[in-house]
Amino acid sequence: YADITLLSLIHNLIVKRELSYLLVIGIWTGRNIPAHSTMGTVIKQIEILNPAAVLKFELGPLDLKSLQEYLSFTLRPSVTDCHSLATLILSKTMGNPLHVLGHGI
């Protein structure tokens, strides 16, 4: 959640160049950030000042194999031993990585 105060702070730090470096990681659950939203406006202003300063990428749903590998890495059983749990998580989260991580795994 980013309220207007936080977005104004980020805007001022970047636009007024009060900091040389600032890493901000934002997550948007929709396809695109609405241009008319406060966050969309701040991002657009930053992109105008320095197009290379904003990096966007889309993280799609995890498939069964990816979930099995993630569970195996995290919990330490073999990949094949994670099949049942990965199948359950996939059915509950539809592979949404934010939901997978949100369930404490």
Side-chain angles (χ1 to χ4, degrees):
Y1 175 74
D3 62 11
I4 188 70
T5 305
L6 176 61
L7 291 171
S8 294
L9 174 64
I10 292 168
H11 177 267
N12 288 337
L13 291 173
I14 293 173
V15 172
K16 294 182 180 178
R17 299 184 186 267
E18 295 178 13
L19 291 178
S20 298
Y21 301 96
L22 177 65
L23 173 64
V24 177
I25 299 174
I27 299 171
W28 189 262
T29 56
R31 234 352 173 180
N32 295 308
I33 299 171
H36 63 277
S37 70
T38 306
M39 183 180 288
T41 303
V42 170
I43 290 172
K44 183 54 75 184
Q45 289 173 348
I46 294 167
E47 286 176 322
I48 290 169
L49 288 171
N50 184 357
V54 177
L55 175 64
K56 298 177 188 176
F57 67 95
E58 184 176 328
L59 182 60
L62 299 171
D63 60 15
L64 182 61
K65 184 178 185 303
S66 298
L67 274 172
Q68 284 179 270
E69 290 172 355
Y70 175 72
L71 292 170
S72 176
F73 177 80
T74 304
L75 303 174
R76 298 292 184 209
S78 72
V79 172
T80 55
D81 289 341
C82 294
H83 179 78
S84 296
L85 181 56
T87 302
L88 176 65
I89 292 171
L90 186 62
S91 72
K92 298 285 187 184
T93 65
M94 296 173 44
N96 183 327
L98 301 177
H99 292 157
V100 168
L101 295 175
H103 283 84
I105 295 178

PDB file of all heavy atoms in Angstrom, residues 29 59-62 89-90 93-102:
ATOM      1  N   THR A  29      -0.831  -5.428  -8.790  1.00  0.00           N
ATOM      2  CA  THR A  29      -1.493  -6.690  -9.102  1.00  0.00           C
ATOM      3  C   THR A  29      -2.254  -6.676 -10.418  1.00  0.00           C
ATOM      4  O   THR A  29      -2.651  -7.717 -10.896  1.00  0.00           O
ATOM      5  CB  THR A  29      -2.444  -7.107  -7.975  1.00  0.00           C
ATOM      6  OG1 THR A  29      -3.384  -6.054  -7.752  1.00  0.00           O
ATOM      7  CG2 THR A  29      -1.680  -7.376  -6.700  1.00  0.00           C
ATOM      8  N   LEU A  59       5.735 -10.503 -13.630  1.00  0.00           N
ATOM      9  CA  LEU A  59       5.965 -11.821 -13.057  1.00  0.00           C
ATOM     10  C   LEU A  59       4.683 -12.622 -13.219  1.00  0.00           C
ATOM     11  O   LEU A  59       3.668 -12.310 -12.618  1.00  0.00           O
ATOM     12  CB  LEU A  59       6.338 -11.696 -11.574  1.00  0.00           C
ATOM     13  CG  LEU A  59       6.657 -12.964 -10.826  1.00  0.00           C
ATOM     14  CD1 LEU A  59       7.850 -13.675 -11.461  1.00  0.00           C
ATOM     15  CD2 LEU A  59       6.964 -12.646  -9.372  1.00  0.00           C
ATOM     16  N   GLY A  60       4.727 -13.622 -14.066  1.00  0.00           N
ATOM     17  CA  GLY A  60       3.555 -14.441 -14.338  1.00  0.00           C
ATOM     18  C   GLY A  60       3.366 -15.542 -13.308  1.00  0.00           C
ATOM     19  O   GLY A  60       4.163 -15.695 -12.378  1.00  0.00           O
ATOM     20  N   PRO A  61       2.321 -16.332 -13.470  1.00  0.00           N
ATOM     21  CA  PRO A  61       2.048 -17.415 -12.525  1.00  0.00           C
ATOM     22  C   PRO A  61       3.120 -18.506 -12.591  1.00  0.00           C
ATOM     23  O   PRO A  61       3.716 -18.744 -13.644  1.00  0.00           O
ATOM     24  CB  PRO A  61       0.694 -17.964 -12.959  1.00  0.00           C
ATOM     25  CG  PRO A  61       0.380 -17.351 -14.257  1.00  0.00           C
ATOM     26  CD  PRO A  61       1.308 -16.212 -14.494  1.00  0.00           C
ATOM     27  N   LEU A  62       3.353 -19.124 -11.460  1.00  0.00           N
ATOM     28  CA  LEU A  62       4.282 -20.234 -11.392  1.00  0.00           C
ATOM     29  C   LEU A  62       3.592 -21.504 -11.877  1.00  0.00           C
ATOM     30  O   LEU A  62       2.429 -21.729 -11.586  1.00  0.00           O
ATOM     31  CB  LEU A  62       4.757 -20.438  -9.945  1.00  0.00           C
ATOM     32  CG  LEU A  62       5.499 -19.254  -9.315  1.00  0.00           C
ATOM     33  CD1 LEU A  62       5.706 -19.500  -7.831  1.00  0.00           C
ATOM     34  CD2 LEU A  62       6.812 -19.009 -10.011  1.00  0.00           C
ATOM     35  N   ILE A  89      -0.812 -26.335  -3.474  1.00  0.00           N
ATOM     36  CA  ILE A  89      -0.557 -24.888  -3.497  1.00  0.00           C
ATOM     37  C   ILE A  89      -0.991 -24.294  -4.831  1.00  0.00           C
ATOM     38  O   ILE A  89      -1.604 -23.222  -4.873  1.00  0.00           O
ATOM     39  CB  ILE A  89       0.929 -24.595  -3.209  1.00  0.00           C
ATOM     40  CG1 ILE A  89       1.250 -24.951  -1.760  1.00  0.00           C
ATOM     41  CG2 ILE A  89       1.265 -23.139  -3.498  1.00  0.00           C
ATOM     42  CD1 ILE A  89       2.719 -24.909  -1.419  1.00  0.00           C
ATOM     43  N   LEU A  90      -0.707 -24.990  -5.915  1.00  0.00           N
ATOM     44  CA  LEU A  90      -1.112 -24.511  -7.237  1.00  0.00           C
ATOM     45  C   LEU A  90      -2.630 -24.396  -7.335  1.00  0.00           C
ATOM     46  O   LEU A  90      -3.165 -23.413  -7.859  1.00  0.00           O
ATOM     47  CB  LEU A  90      -0.574 -25.440  -8.325  1.00  0.00           C
ATOM     48  CG  LEU A  90      -0.791 -25.004  -9.765  1.00  0.00           C
ATOM     49  CD1 LEU A  90      -0.088 -23.682 -10.054  1.00  0.00           C
ATOM     50  CD2 LEU A  90      -0.292 -26.074 -10.717  1.00  0.00           C
ATOM     51  N   THR A  93      -3.651 -21.259  -5.132  1.00  0.00           N
ATOM     52  CA  THR A  93      -3.134 -19.936  -5.488  1.00  0.00           C
ATOM     53  C   THR A  93      -3.169 -19.630  -6.975  1.00  0.00           C
ATOM     54  O   THR A  93      -2.872 -18.506  -7.368  1.00  0.00           O
ATOM     55  CB  THR A  93      -1.668 -19.808  -5.035  1.00  0.00           C
ATOM     56  OG1 THR A  93      -0.872 -20.746  -5.766  1.00  0.00           O
ATOM     57  CG2 THR A  93      -1.521 -20.026  -3.544  1.00  0.00           C
ATOM     58  N   MET A  94      -3.490 -20.626  -7.781  1.00  0.00           N
ATOM     59  CA  MET A  94      -3.457 -20.503  -9.239  1.00  0.00           C
ATOM     60  C   MET A  94      -2.063 -20.068  -9.718  1.00  0.00           C
ATOM     61  O   MET A  94      -1.917 -19.411 -10.734  1.00  0.00           O
ATOM     62  CB  MET A  94      -4.541 -19.558  -9.739  1.00  0.00           C
ATOM     63  CG  MET A  94      -5.936 -20.076  -9.442  1.00  0.00           C
ATOM     64  SD  MET A  94      -7.320 -18.970  -9.796  1.00  0.00           S
ATOM     65  CE  MET A  94      -6.936 -18.300 -11.378  1.00  0.00           C
ATOM     66  N   GLY A  95      -1.044 -20.389  -8.920  1.00  0.00           N
ATOM     67  CA  GLY A  95       0.332 -20.085  -9.285  1.00  0.00           C
ATOM     68  C   GLY A  95       0.767 -18.660  -9.055  1.00  0.00           C
ATOM     69  O   GLY A  95       1.905 -18.301  -9.363  1.00  0.00           O
ATOM     70  N   ASN A  96      -0.109 -17.825  -8.501  1.00  0.00           N
ATOM     71  CA  ASN A  96       0.233 -16.431  -8.243  1.00  0.00           C
ATOM     72  C   ASN A  96       1.395 -16.384  -7.239  1.00  0.00           C
ATOM     73  O   ASN A  96       1.233 -16.776  -6.091  1.00  0.00           O
ATOM     74  CB  ASN A  96      -0.978 -15.691  -7.706  1.00  0.00           C
ATOM     75  CG  ASN A  96      -0.695 -14.219  -7.478  1.00  0.00           C
ATOM     76  OD1 ASN A  96       0.407 -13.809  -7.133  1.00  0.00           O
ATOM     77  ND2 ASN A  96      -1.725 -13.406  -7.652  1.00  0.00           N
ATOM     78  N   PRO A  97       2.576 -15.902  -7.649  1.00  0.00           N
ATOM     79  CA  PRO A  97       3.732 -15.921  -6.764  1.00  0.00           C
ATOM     80  C   PRO A  97       3.522 -15.123  -5.483  1.00  0.00           C
ATOM     81  O   PRO A  97       4.070 -15.468  -4.439  1.00  0.00           O
ATOM     82  CB  PRO A  97       4.870 -15.340  -7.599  1.00  0.00           C
ATOM     83  CG  PRO A  97       4.301 -14.966  -8.896  1.00  0.00           C
ATOM     84  CD  PRO A  97       2.882 -15.372  -8.961  1.00  0.00           C
ATOM     85  N   LEU A  98       2.733 -14.067  -5.549  1.00  0.00           N
ATOM     86  CA  LEU A  98       2.479 -13.286  -4.334  1.00  0.00           C
ATOM     87  C   LEU A  98       1.631 -14.077  -3.345  1.00  0.00           C
ATOM     88  O   LEU A  98       1.809 -13.968  -2.139  1.00  0.00           O
ATOM     89  CB  LEU A  98       1.788 -11.968  -4.694  1.00  0.00           C
ATOM     90  CG  LEU A  98       2.560 -11.060  -5.647  1.00  0.00           C
ATOM     91  CD1 LEU A  98       1.739  -9.817  -5.972  1.00  0.00           C
ATOM     92  CD2 LEU A  98       3.909 -10.691  -5.076  1.00  0.00           C
ATOM     93  N   HIS A  99       0.710 -14.873  -3.839  1.00  0.00           N
ATOM     94  CA  HIS A  99      -0.097 -15.699  -2.961  1.00  0.00           C
ATOM     95  C   HIS A  99       0.677 -16.889  -2.438  1.00  0.00           C
ATOM     96  O   HIS A  99       0.507 -17.305  -1.294  1.00  0.00           O
ATOM     97  CB  HIS A  99      -1.369 -16.172  -3.676  1.00  0.00           C
ATOM     98  CG  HIS A  99      -2.322 -15.061  -3.974  1.00  0.00           C
ATOM     99  ND1 HIS A  99      -3.257 -15.143  -4.960  1.00  0.00           N
ATOM    100  CD2 HIS A  99      -2.474 -13.818  -3.428  1.00  0.00           C
ATOM    101  CE1 HIS A  99      -3.945 -14.015  -5.000  1.00  0.00           C
ATOM    102  NE2 HIS A  99      -3.484 -13.215  -4.103  1.00  0.00           N
ATOM    103  N   VAL A 100       1.545 -17.466  -3.274  1.00  0.00           N
ATOM    104  CA  VAL A 100       2.377 -18.583  -2.835  1.00  0.00           C
ATOM    105  C   VAL A 100       3.225 -18.146  -1.656  1.00  0.00           C
ATOM    106  O   VAL A 100       3.268 -18.796  -0.615  1.00  0.00           O
ATOM    107  CB  VAL A 100       3.265 -19.116  -3.990  1.00  0.00           C
ATOM    108  CG1 VAL A 100       4.312 -20.071  -3.468  1.00  0.00           C
ATOM    109  CG2 VAL A 100       2.401 -19.799  -5.053  1.00  0.00           C
ATOM    110  N   LEU A 101       3.902 -17.010  -1.794  1.00  0.00           N
ATOM    111  CA  LEU A 101       4.742 -16.504  -0.716  1.00  0.00           C
ATOM    112  C   LEU A 101       3.906 -16.042   0.464  1.00  0.00           C
ATOM    113  O   LEU A 101       4.336 -16.131   1.602  1.00  0.00           O
ATOM    114  CB  LEU A 101       5.616 -15.350  -1.226  1.00  0.00           C
ATOM    115  CG  LEU A 101       6.637 -15.743  -2.290  1.00  0.00           C
ATOM    116  CD1 LEU A 101       7.353 -14.514  -2.820  1.00  0.00           C
ATOM    117  CD2 LEU A 101       7.632 -16.746  -1.740  1.00  0.00           C
ATOM    118  N   GLY A 102       2.709 -15.565   0.203  1.00  0.00           N
ATOM    119  CA  GLY A 102       1.820 -15.096   1.263  1.00  0.00           C
ATOM    120  C   GLY A 102       1.284 -16.184   2.151  1.00  0.00           C
ATOM    121  O   GLY A 102       0.777 -15.938   3.229  1.00  0.00           O
TER     122      GLY A 102
END
